[in-house]
Amino acid sequence: MVARVVTVDPFDIVVFGATGDLARRKLLPALFERDLAGQIPAEARIIGVSRRPMPAADFRRFAGDAVDASDGIEDVEPARVAAFLDRLDYVAVDAVSDDGWAELAALLATGAHRVRVFYLAVGPDLFDPICSRIGAHQLVTEKTRVVVEKPVGKDLASAREVNAAVGKVFREEAVFRIDHYLGKETVQNLMALRFANALFEPVWNNAHIDHVQITVAESIGTAGRAGYYDTAGALRDMVQNHILQLLCLVAMEPPVTLDADAVRDEKLKVLKALEPINEANAAQLTVRGQYRAGASAGGAVPGYLEELGSGASETETFVALKAEISNWRWAGVPFYLRTGKRLASRVSEIVVAFRPIPHSVFDSHAGPIMANRLVIRLQPDEGVKLWLMIKDPGPGGMRLQHVPLDMSFASVFGVRNPDAYERLIMDVIRGNQTLFMRRDEVEAAWQWVGPILDAWRTTHEAPRPYTAGTWGPSAAIALIERDGRTWTDDA
Ligand code: BG6
């Protein structure tokens, strides 16, 4: 099957933090892939910006290396890479002084009518100074957009500050708060599954669904980002954004259309309906963990504190939560959420566990009848599995088996799954905000997460240790087993 490619309008994308990790690992390879697919028009430019003066040729070399090192980019003709690198330019600009801004303005003036994107791949402390200078230098045109990377703040108050600083210069329709989980193929498939099939929606509620599990497990540790990670922890790094976004897509009411505000209005309602977790109930509904040395991917790995180079830190590298949504559709259906670093394997999936059948017509020889389960696997091996009971084939009476109807996207469609950033950057250029977070959504997510952080701070409870390469502290297993349920092993 061949993927359909629709060329976007001519654009200039200005990447702040152009020599940083995100640009190297994600943004430059993503832009290259889209160029290779023919989606980027000939006149489009990619302008790298950072504080360090360097010739454009050096930035092109850096980008070439980034493309070479990127997974999945192999056997590409050198001429195609060279054509991509020709689009690149570089300007040294200081975010906190006026140095370099006139040069950037002059360069952009040569493409004044194009779509203009400012991509802020920098720490959140630079959002305000960069946005104010973009405003002061009058670089915002009718077709200008700004992309804001997470974290948008570290709590509600700081998120509001970041949003206000960006909002002074850009109207909300021009602000693209990126959550790369929303760009993942299977996440969008969740919307297709729910809203393009008549089968699921009638049973998508508390009358038929017993509970939902969302697992985002990583086998890596802090991967050279221990400094940042230690100020964040798993709740801020993964739950406030990625996991709550997944929860919203599972739980939201069908939007009227897929227009950005129609979808985001529905997601916001879910966030607002989340039952508060605070000092009164955090001990029952949350588990924090921190990894100790162990084994991962076949080798010995150090513990979090060793990676951090410090003997003391109470930052959680694992969190499990039991969340509830207080509305008509979901009352009484727990959403068990868990995420962590250095877990047994890398797997992200959503499990929708249906209720058991009300009455069995089979005798005891048929064996146990397991409840249906819909598993939406985000990574690795993207796909959807629907676990059903069927009759064991052949003679021998009515014996039942639980088997998955298994649709692995790679084998069914045989196309390469684009990286989330490829789709999201093209959406920014098209001006489509459906897969981006609105200001009130980000703030509502912080509003729910804040009291959990406060409760942990008040109780001073240290994170529970778990050995690297396991599924986290045993308390996380107890969290779900107390309710007579268990984390599924589709992982
Ligand atoms: C990022 C987090 O947002 O998502 C990282 O800051 C995490 O800590 C990453 O490793 C996971 O993304 P993915 O796409 O590899 O699942």
Side-chain angles (χ1 to χ4, degrees):
M1 196 196 243
V2 180
R4 200 162 59 94
V5 170
V6 180
T7 313
V8 295
D9 288 342
F11 64 88
D12 285 338
I13 182 168
V14 180
V15 181
F16 284 86
T19 53
D21 190 52
L22 183 72
R24 181 176 56 78
R25 281 189 310 110
K26 295 288 184 185
L27 307 183
L28 292 165
L31 284 161
F32 174 69
E33 286 283 7
R34 290 297 89 210
D35 195 17
L36 202 58
Q39 199 163 15
I40 300 192
E43 56 272 59
R45 295 183 294 186
I46 299 161
I47 302 167
V49 164
S50 77
R51 202 169 50 172
R52 187 157 52 96
M54 76 174 156
D58 285 6
F59 179 56
R60 292 198 184 103
R61 204 164 306 122
F62 169 83
D65 292 346
V67 166
D68 281 348
S70 175
D71 283 350
I73 302 182
E74 282 137 27
D75 300 331
V76 178
E77 287 167 39
R80 303 295 299 268
V81 180
F84 171 72
L85 298 182
D86 269 353
R87 300 178 176 284
L88 269 55
D89 212 331
Y90 180 83
V91 188
V93 172
D94 190 355
V96 293
S97 80
D98 279 330
D99 292 354
W101 286 90
E103 288 83 338
L104 178 62
L107 186 59
L108 288 174
T110 61
H113 300 295
R114 303 170 177 195
V115 170
R116 183 176 292 173
V117 176
F118 292 105
Y119 199 119
L120 308 190
V122 293
D125 47 324
L126 293 181
F127 292 171
D128 188 1
I130 292 178
C131 288
S132 353
R133 283 182 177 77
I134 290 174
H137 288 269
Q138 297 178 343
L139 302 182
V140 182
T141 61
E142 264 300 293
K143 290 198 267 179
T144 295
R145 283 135 212 180
V146 65
V147 185
V148 180
E149 266 292 338
K150 68 174 265 269
V152 179
K154 58 177 178 44
D155 53 22
L156 181 58
S158 53
R160 282 189 173 142
E161 275 169 28
V162 169
N163 282 332
V166 175
K168 270 192 288 183
V169 180
F170 296 95
R171 60 207 159 87
E172 182 61 24
E173 295 69 47
V175 182
F176 289 72
R177 296 178 193 81
I178 217 162
D179 182 315
H180 77 281
Y181 266 58
L182 293 182
K184 289 187 191 269
E185 191 68 23
T186 328
V187 173
Q188 290 166 72
N189 235 311
L190 184 56
M191 290 204 262
L193 211 62
R194 283 193 62 192
F195 306 131
N197 295 289
L199 201 60
F200 295 112
E201 216 37 39
V203 293
W204 207 256
N205 55 48
N206 50 9
H208 301 281
I209 292 178
D210 177 73
H211 73 280
V212 176
Q213 302 182 11
I214 302 179
T215 296
V216 178
E218 298 186 272
S219 51
I220 55 167
T222 50
R225 297 158 71 229
Y228 148 76
Y229 193 86
D230 201 53
T231 64
L235 188 70
R236 286 191 176 94
D237 187 49
M238 298 295 286
V239 177
Q240 188 272 343
N241 35 75
H242 307 324
I243 292 192
L244 285 185
Q245 287 294 317
L246 298 181
L247 176 141
C248 285
L249 293 178
V250 173
M252 71 182 180
E253 293 301 314
V256 176
T257 63
L258 279 191
D259 286 353
D261 278 336
V263 172
R264 299 186 301 177
D265 286 346
E266 296 308 335
K267 288 198 289 169
L268 182 65
K269 287 184 206 159
V270 175
L271 292 169
K272 289 194 164 167
L274 281 168
E275 271 294 302
I277 300 184
N278 50 34
E279 219 182 306
N281 54 8
Q284 290 83 52
L285 302 179
T286 70
V287 174
R288 314 168 69 210
Q290 190 185 73
Y291 60 84
R292 300 284 179 263
S296 181
V301 292
Y304 177 69
L305 297 178
E306 288 93 74
E307 262 179 29
L308 187 63
S310 152
S313 164
E314 303 232 314
T315 299
E316 79 286 354
T317 60
F318 173 96
V319 62
L321 300 168
K322 177 178 170 186
E324 304 244 12
I325 302 169
S326 290
N327 64 16
W328 196 281
R329 188 189 281 260
W330 294 112
V333 179
F335 281 65
Y336 298 98
L337 317 177
R338 64 175 170 168
T339 182
K341 301 230 177 251
R342 286 275 187 244
L343 296 184
S345 61
R346 175 175 188 247
V347 58
S348 300
E349 65 184 17
I350 300 167
V351 178
V352 179
F354 289 89
R355 287 185 183 279
I357 52 162
H359 164 74
S360 173
V361 299
F362 303 96
D363 64 26
S364 59
H365 296 113
I369 300 182
M370 319 285 282
N372 298 131
R373 213 157 61 211
L374 178 69
V375 180
I376 299 141
R377 164 83 64 118
L378 276 63
Q379 56 196 22
D381 315 325
E382 290 98 334
V384 175
K385 273 190 207 168
L386 179 60
W387 286 83
L388 302 168
M389 295 305 299
I390 59 146
K391 179 190 165 295
D392 220 356
M398 179 62 86
R399 279 175 290 109
L400 299 173
Q401 259 197 54
H402 201 212
V403 291
L405 203 63
D406 190 352
M407 191 164 77
S408 155
F409 296 153
S411 56
V412 175
F413 297 107
V415 289
R416 163 188 164 272
N417 254 337
D419 185 77
Y421 279 92
E422 292 180 43
R423 176 188 322 269
L424 294 174
I425 296 172
M426 292 300 109
D427 276 357
V428 174
I429 291 160
R430 290 192 201 98
N432 180 355
Q433 288 182 308
T434 302
L435 298 177
F436 295 82
M437 291 180 294
R438 204 167 55 192
R439 177 177 185 156
D440 48 4
E441 256 185 280
V442 173
E443 295 181 5
W446 278 121
Q447 204 134 22
W448 186 71
V449 160
I452 305 177
L453 291 165
D454 292 343
W456 289 346
R457 210 172 299 123
T458 320
T459 53
H460 290 301
E461 209 190 310
R464 294 161 196 267
Y466 63 95
T467 306
T470 65
W471 282 107
S474 53
I477 297 170
L479 175 82
I480 189 166
E481 296 201 341
R482 267 203 303 272
D483 296 344
R485 303 181 174 106
T486 179
W487 295 107
T488 68
D489 56 5
D490 287 304

